[in-house]
Amino acid sequence: MPLAITIVPVMPLRAEPSHRAEMISQAVFGECLETETVTQDGWVKVRMQYEGYEGWVTLSHLETIPQSLFEAPPTHVVHHWQAVLQLNGKPVHVPYGSLLKLGTAEWGSVSVAAGEGIVPFKPAPAPREAWEPIAMEFLNTGYLWGGKTVFGTDCSGFTQTVYKILGIPLLRDAYQQAAQGETISFLQEVKPGDLAFFDNPEGRITHVGIMLDEQRIIHSSGKVRIDPVDNQGIVNADTGERTHKLRLIKRLF
């Protein structure tokens, strides 16, 4: 199965091989993936290396890579809202939180050079102290179904990217993330950085956010915002409306 890497700043991952199809997720510059089916009009069925998510992307957004680069660990992270690197000598603006594999293996037929705002990547030695400044970079980012960058993100894309920068892998969707970590029985036992999950009337987990403390949450709902939370769920700080029903809390660090 050919291996590839994303060579555009943000690549839509779609449910079907069409630009009109639902965007179910994104891949940012430097994300690796396995390719499967390739259609005659340039659509590729892929499986993301990071969390195994599957979907369709366009062939022009990819570069075929050797196994050595696919298996190499990330070496750098974009630590500004966006940073500029050089792809074949031309600039590419890469979004905050992108993990890059630089100087470890060949990028196929393209060359990549880091620029300002790209720093060495090391998993946070103390995630409890490091996560909040990362999350706050997303504050007021608009909600985008399938998004996971500071230019537009859904709820689980937000939590996944914050945790990714910390060096802690999360799956892509809220219900998948809810299966990870240790369950916290009571809201009063919450520590900053714990994940809170919320369900719909049918009992399906559809929302996730990060607890700032036992009374406040930062989450992507309309935009990335901070709202009060209690044993019943989230209350919109602007309208006073109860918007999400609390289901469970998980701890991953």
Side-chain angles (χ1 to χ4, degrees):
M1 186 178 296
L3 306 174
I5 199 165
T6 308
I7 57 169
V8 293
V10 183
M11 176 176 67
L13 190 69
R14 299 196 179 275
E16 302 291 340
S18 168
H19 289 295
R20 294 177 179 271
E22 173 190 9
M23 185 178 75
I24 55 175
S25 190
Q26 295 175 326
V28 294
F29 188 96
E31 284 202 68
C32 294
L33 44 90
E34 300 170 281
T35 66
E36 298 179 14
T37 307
V38 180
T39 68
Q40 290 185 341
D41 53 352
W43 286 93
V44 188
K45 181 71 177 295
V46 300
R47 184 175 188 269
M48 301 303 301
Q49 181 188 35
Y50 188 75
E51 79 289 84
Y53 222 63
E54 296 184 354
W56 291 88
V57 303
T58 53
L59 187 61
S60 60
H61 294 172
L62 302 176
E63 171 66 28
T64 302
I65 57 172
Q67 187 82 26
S68 57
L69 182 59
F70 185 84
E71 295 178 350
T75 60
H76 292 75
V77 61
V78 175
H79 218 262
H80 291 175
W81 251 55
Q82 61 88 28
V84 180
L85 53 76
Q86 298 293 314
L87 178 70
N88 289 339
K90 296 182 180 179
V92 178
H93 295 260
V94 184
Y96 179 67
S98 300
L99 297 185
L100 307 173
K101 302 177 180 184
L102 302 178
T104 57
E106 292 299 320
W107 277 54
S109 64
V110 301
S111 62
V112 180
E116 184 179 354
I118 299 174
V119 301
F121 172 69
K122 296 179 181 179
R128 193 75 61 197
E129 301 171 7
W131 77 269
E132 188 171 336
I134 297 170
M136 290 302 176
E137 289 287 339
F138 287 80
L139 204 58
N140 289 313
T141 292
Y143 182 90
L144 176 65
W145 179 267
K148 60 178 190 179
T149 77
V150 288
F151 302 107
T153 184
D154 61 24
C155 64
S156 55
F158 167 61
T159 54
Q160 185 192 54
T161 302
V162 172
Y163 269 55
K164 180 177 72 172
I165 297 169
L166 295 172
I168 301 171
L170 280 183
L171 296 173
R172 180 60 180 89
D173 291 334
Y175 77 93
Q176 296 173 320
Q177 295 175 8
Q180 299 179 252
E182 170 195 358
T183 300
I184 304 304
S185 300
F186 301 101
L187 192 62
Q188 293 72 22
E189 297 175 351
V190 157
K191 292 184 178 180
D194 289 347
L195 297 178
F197 296 90
F198 306 83
D199 60 15
N200 64 13
E202 290 73 42
R204 179 178 172 82
I205 290 174
T206 57
H207 191 66
V208 61
I210 310 177
M211 298 296 294
L212 286 160
D213 52 44
E214 64 184 62
Q215 297 180 328
R216 297 179 303 145
I217 189 170
I218 181 169
H219 64 130
S220 182
S221 179
K223 61 181 179 180
V224 177
R225 53 182 296 119
I226 296 172
D227 285 316
V229 63
D230 57 25
N231 286 314
Q232 295 183 51
I234 298 174
V235 176
N236 185 292
D238 299 324
T239 66
E241 176 189 3
R242 188 169 296 280
T243 57
H244 299 85
K245 183 169 72 73
L246 182 63
R247 172 73 171 271
L248 76 162
I249 300 167
K250 287 295 193 81
R251 180 169 297 159
L252 283 92
F253 56 79

